[in-house]
Amino acid sequence: MIDQHFRDQVLAWSQQPPSGPVPSAARQTLDALFTAQLRSRHVDFAARELQKQGRAFYTISSAGHEANAAVALALRPSDPALLHYRSGAFFAARAGQVAGSAIDDLLLSHMCGVDDPISGGRHKVIGHPDLAIIPQTSTIASHLPRALGVAFTIGRTRTRWPRDAVVVTSFGDASANHSTATGAFNAAGYLSHQGVPLPLLFVCEDNGIGISVRTPAGWTARSLASHPAIDYHFADGSDPDETLRVCHEVVASIRERRRPAILHLKTVRFLGHAGSDAEIAYRSSKEIAADHPLDPLLGTARALILAGVDPADVAARYEDVRREVAEAATSLPVTHLATPAEVMAPLVATSADEVAKAATLSAGRDRRLHVHGNLPEEGPPLTLAQSINAALTDLMAYDDSTLVFGEDVGVKGGVYGVTRGLRKRFGASRVFDTLLDEQTILGVALGAGVSGALPIPEIQYLAYLHNAEDQLRGEAASLRFFSNGQFQNPMVVRIAGLAYQRGFGGHFHNDNSVAVLRDIPGLILGVPSCAAEAPRMLRTMAALARVEGRVCVLLEPIALYHSRDVVDGDGGLLASYAAPEAWEPIAELGRTTLYADGAAVDTLVITFGNGVHLSRRAVHQAGVPADVLDLRWLSPLPVEEMCAHAARYSRVVVADETRHSGGVAEGIVAALVDAGYDGTITRLNSEDTFIPLGPGAATVLLSEDQIVAALRG
């Protein structure tokens, strides 16, 4: 056992002191390193005992990885950190830099106590609002794109970090093989190759094993050293003198040169993968014991003794910290989350009045500085694409920390021209093209948002989101939850999507699947159906992001971008632009739009997106009086307004362009039934299929004829 091995070795050194050169690291630095390592190690021991007692619930330990405390000591407490889950010693070292012990915080995190200062009892998380440690729950390096985004944002716009900050992110050797990690390395090298400042330190904590699978010998070093335009450094975590020296050198280089680097930190893993892991099932006793001499705590103890510390004092410090941790584990009052409301509080917290004010923007800015000629409200009615462009212009003019980026959005102005002219108006530092990688696009948004900017990234097509959706689910939407609302990554993600493009597409460009977005807790999803709705929805999302830190998605129907008419020649999809200061000062979230001719009718069509256009045409064609309700918001559904409208009709037709299974209609019908609606409900959906290229698409998508038949039936 590593505990007994440490004590036996220090006792042996008491009888025969170790030999070797006196470490070059200052005694004060070695003391700080050892203190952090001891606190982390004994918290790990205590967590195992607390788990046996039913008082701790997550026991992935930092034992063997305590060399990462040297990384913390090389950095400043204000340098943002996004850390691997084996970073207890890093946390303890940074807490020590600001005169904290970290013991209570780490124990409360293991015990899911509501007084845990980062998660409020929701998870064992390495993070702290006062230590610039952004909490992560990632186990597969999915936090690396966010770390890249933080580093990319520093110096590009105002942020919460010092302008000379260095960003650090850590991960394991097995996670270094994950596509998310390799994407982040590639993006970092891509930027560095172009001379873009990127003060980012990747720390690979290499213990040679991922759960039970060994990493091939030499692979990690060869792989990490191969990334172009990223400096590579190695340190043996069992040698504190080498580790401290390398850490200080690499951090100083990044801080001065603003160039990314990888630190390959050799570690060992003690106590198995987690508390439930029987390591002996895949590692021999001899192999496990062979790692004991590589214990980073032994390395630091040896360095202290070589620097003149009595071995008896080293042993005493070890036991003193054990007692300190044990006393804390016994005396800490621990309360757990007890109600659904307590658990969900960070997801549902709202500031409606502040959002309403922010949604109106500011009448004080000279908007003419950012347009050539007339303001948009002084010109002719706009299409959906033009109205979004005008709204983006206003948002960027209002807040100079607003960033617009994605594939082709800068020079070209977007595949459909939606961002045309923004780069000329606001410059390449605020409107820029990215490399072709949706994980990186969303990661940059995550990093920019948590740093204090308002990112508005574009995903070029809805189908392209699916290879990066965990950046929204596992990283973006979860941050408020796992930080108890103390960290947030506001963003408004624009996605061109849905179907009904003619002569172009196939399933990559006609994707009608939104289930993954509606299934993410706390995410706001809206779909504008015309030029009149898009600007106010976009402003509302920006306000929700700024004020509440919300993750918002505006799903823009491609087929309606440049459409003008509901019925041929009527211009029914065009709208005059409402200036920000003229807009009604209320938050739009949860509001619907009713298209009614004022006559008494008994049928209501509930729909959204392309379905609004199809339904209004169908009503005209069917010759059957019916009103059309545009939901606009798909997550959360505007249940209160929807059900209040439906109650006035004896028949509801739900026209849903998404798929029959997992489509939006399922939620609509369930909400109506839950509310006690007692009329007739007819549900129309697209088929459960990918959408083919060519005329076959019309056979599987919700059609105008289907809606007509339902109205007449």
Side-chain angles (χ1 to χ4, degrees):
M1 180 181 179
I2 54 172
D3 188 29
Q4 188 60 51
H5 184 270
F6 180 90
R7 288 182 288 179
D8 289 346
Q9 184 60 71
V10 174
L11 177 61
W13 283 334
S14 297
Q15 299 166 357
Q16 183 176 351
S19 60
V22 176
S24 59
R27 165 73 182 276
Q28 183 180 9
T29 302
L30 288 172
D31 280 339
L33 178 66
F34 195 46
T35 298
Q37 292 176 327
L38 290 175
R39 287 170 174 168
S40 179
R41 176 67 58 86
H42 284 297
V43 166
D44 285 336
F45 288 158
R48 297 301 172 100
E49 293 303 314
L50 290 167
Q51 184 189 41
K52 294 175 184 177
Q53 301 166 20
R55 298 176 60 208
F57 306 96
Y58 192 87
T59 52
I60 288 185
S61 79
S62 302
H65 282 244
E66 291 92 350
N68 58 37
V71 180
L73 294 176
L75 293 160
R76 299 169 183 167
S78 57
D79 288 329
L82 302 91
L83 303 174
H84 190 230
Y85 51 70
R86 301 192 193 277
S87 298
F90 182 109
F91 182 84
R94 179 158 287 191
Q97 289 175 314
V98 295
S101 80
I103 291 173
D104 288 0
D105 293 349
L106 289 171
L107 286 171
L108 284 167
S109 190
H110 278 288
M111 300 165 78
C112 295
V114 296
D115 293 323
D116 167 22
I118 185 61
S119 78
R122 290 170 183 82
H123 206 282
K124 187 262 184 179
V125 178
I126 301 291
H128 200 286
D130 299 328
L131 299 177
I133 302 178
I134 303 166
Q136 308 299 314
T137 58
S138 165
T139 59
I140 55 167
S142 60
H143 57 294
L144 267 59
R146 190 207 307 262
L148 181 140
V150 174
F152 177 79
T153 306
I154 293 172
R156 180 168 291 264
T157 186
R158 65 178 186 274
T159 71
R160 63 190 297 177
W161 321 115
R163 290 188 66 84
D164 66 344
V166 170
V167 182
V168 61
T169 188
S170 56
F171 51 95
D173 54 290
S175 293
N177 298 302
H178 197 275
S179 62
T180 313
T182 57
F185 299 146
N186 179 74
Y190 179 92
L191 293 167
S192 179
H193 174 75
Q194 300 174 80
V196 176
L198 195 74
L200 177 60
L201 173 59
F202 294 103
V203 180
C204 179
E205 299 180 16
D206 179 7
N207 60 33
I209 193 167
I211 305 182
S212 66
V213 179
R214 290 169 175 79
T215 301
W219 169 252
T220 301
R222 184 172 182 179
S223 173
L224 294 178
S226 69
H227 296 294
I230 303 178
D231 299 328
Y232 171 82
H233 305 263
F234 175 83
D236 183 349
S238 67
D239 182 342
D241 206 40
E242 174 186 324
T243 302
L244 286 165
R245 175 183 56 77
V246 172
C247 287
H248 278 86
E249 288 175 358
V250 67
V251 168
S253 175
I254 295 172
R255 201 177 301 281
E256 178 182 353
R257 301 172 64 202
R258 318 307 283 169
R259 175 183 168 95
I262 291 173
L263 171 60
H264 180 190
L265 183 61
K266 188 71 178 74
T267 66
V268 290
R269 189 185 73 185
F270 296 140
L271 304 181
H273 173 69
S276 59
D277 180 37
E279 195 171 21
I280 195 65
Y282 52 87
R283 298 184 77 200
S284 68
S285 298
K286 182 177 180 181
E287 184 181 6
I288 294 171
D291 281 343
H292 289 170
L294 303 177
D295 186 348
L297 270 68
L298 270 180
T300 308
R302 183 176 184 274
L304 284 167
I305 293 168
L306 289 170
V309 178
D310 190 321
D313 290 339
V314 170
R317 285 181 65 182
Y318 187 82
E319 296 304 327
D320 286 346
V321 175
R322 185 200 302 276
R323 283 189 292 273
E324 182 183 6
V325 172
E327 289 171 4
T330 301
S331 61
L332 272 176
V334 178
T335 305
H336 299 125
L337 298 167
T339 67
E342 290 176 352
V343 172
M344 297 167 61
L347 296 177
V348 299
T350 185
S351 306
D353 292 343
E354 289 80 2
V355 171
K357 293 175 184 177
T360 64
L361 302 183
S362 169
R365 295 293 180 102
D366 186 356
R367 296 166 58 233
R368 291 186 187 277
L369 295 175
H370 301 284
V371 298
H372 298 291
N374 293 333
L375 292 170
E377 62 268 26
E378 298 169 346
L382 305 179
T383 62
L384 174 63
Q386 291 168 335
S387 72
I388 293 172
N389 181 282
L392 289 171
T393 299
D394 278 336
L395 289 173
M396 297 195 74
Y398 169 67
D399 180 357
D400 59 13
S401 73
T402 301
L403 308 174
V404 171
F405 53 91
E407 299 166 20
D408 301 307
V409 305
V411 176
K412 182 176 182 178
V415 172
Y416 298 96
V418 179
T419 57
R420 188 171 295 146
L422 295 183
R423 182 183 174 97
K424 289 183 178 178
R425 293 172 195 148
F426 300 103
S429 65
R430 295 182 60 198
V431 182
F432 50 89
D433 294 317
T434 66
L435 73 174
L436 198 157
D437 177 26
E438 286 74 26
Q439 288 186 141
T440 296
I441 293 170
L442 293 177
V444 169
L446 286 161
V450 80
S451 298
L454 176 60
I456 306 182
E458 178 185 291
I459 300 298
Q460 198 167 86
Y461 290 101
L462 177 58
Y464 298 176
L465 170 70
H466 302 308
N467 63 29
E469 59 198 25
D470 185 59
Q471 290 295 298
L472 291 181
R473 174 187 296 275
E475 296 296 325
S478 68
L479 184 61
R480 279 166 54 94
F481 185 77
F482 290 119
S483 70
N484 201 20
Q486 297 169 99
F487 285 95
Q488 52 197 29
N489 34 226
M491 65 175 71
V492 179
V493 184
R494 295 180 44 253
I495 304 178
L498 300 175
Y500 302 99
Q501 290 196 80
R502 295 181 179 179
F504 179 66
H507 74 283
F508 280 123
H509 305 97
N510 281 289
D511 188 355
N512 61 344
S513 176
V514 301
V516 67
L517 292 168
R518 294 192 65 239
D519 189 46
I520 299 175
L523 182 141
I524 305 297
L525 172 61
V527 182
S529 64
C530 64
E533 306 293 357
R536 62 187 64 190
M537 293 180 74
L538 191 53
R539 292 170 192 157
T540 297
M541 287 185 172
L544 286 163
R546 278 198 208 96
V547 176
E548 297 182 357
R550 295 287 178 177
V551 177
C552 304
V553 174
L554 188 72
L555 181 56
E556 302 165 4
I558 298 171
L560 299 179
Y561 270 147
H562 305 297
S563 297
R564 307 174 69 85
D565 304 326
V566 175
V567 179
D568 291 347
D570 71 348
L573 293 178
L574 302 176
S576 297
Y577 186 73
E581 56 267 29
W583 184 52
E584 189 178 16
I586 56 173
E588 286 285 312
L589 183 63
R591 288 176 60 87
T592 60
T593 299
L594 182 67
Y595 293 94
D597 59 12
V601 298
D602 64 1
T603 301
L604 177 68
V605 182
I606 299 178
T607 187
F608 63 91
N610 291 291
V612 178
H613 173 68
L614 294 173
S615 298
R616 293 175 67 190
R617 286 180 62 93
V619 169
H620 178 79
Q621 179 182 339
V624 177
D627 294 340
V628 176
L629 184 69
D630 180 2
L631 293 177
R632 302 171 59 211
W633 304 99
L634 300 189
S635 187
L637 281 171
V639 171
E640 185 175 350
E641 279 208 15
M642 178 183 74
C643 293
H645 281 298
R648 297 194 290 270
Y649 301 82
S650 62
R651 186 164 69 122
V652 165
V653 175
V654 180
D656 176 12
E657 64 181 288
T658 63
R659 300 171 189 167
H660 185 271
S661 299
V664 179
E666 292 177 347
I668 296 171
V669 173
L672 291 171
V673 172
D674 289 346
Y677 177 74
D678 58 2
T680 301
I681 301 175
T682 302
R683 174 185 168 195
L684 305 175
N685 278 93
S686 296
E687 299 293 334
D688 285 340
T689 179
F690 298 106
I691 300 170
L693 183 66
T699 69
V700 295
L701 290 171
L702 173 71
S703 71
E704 186 178 318
D705 289 343
Q706 286 176 289
I707 303 171
V708 168
L711 291 173
R712 290 174 174 171

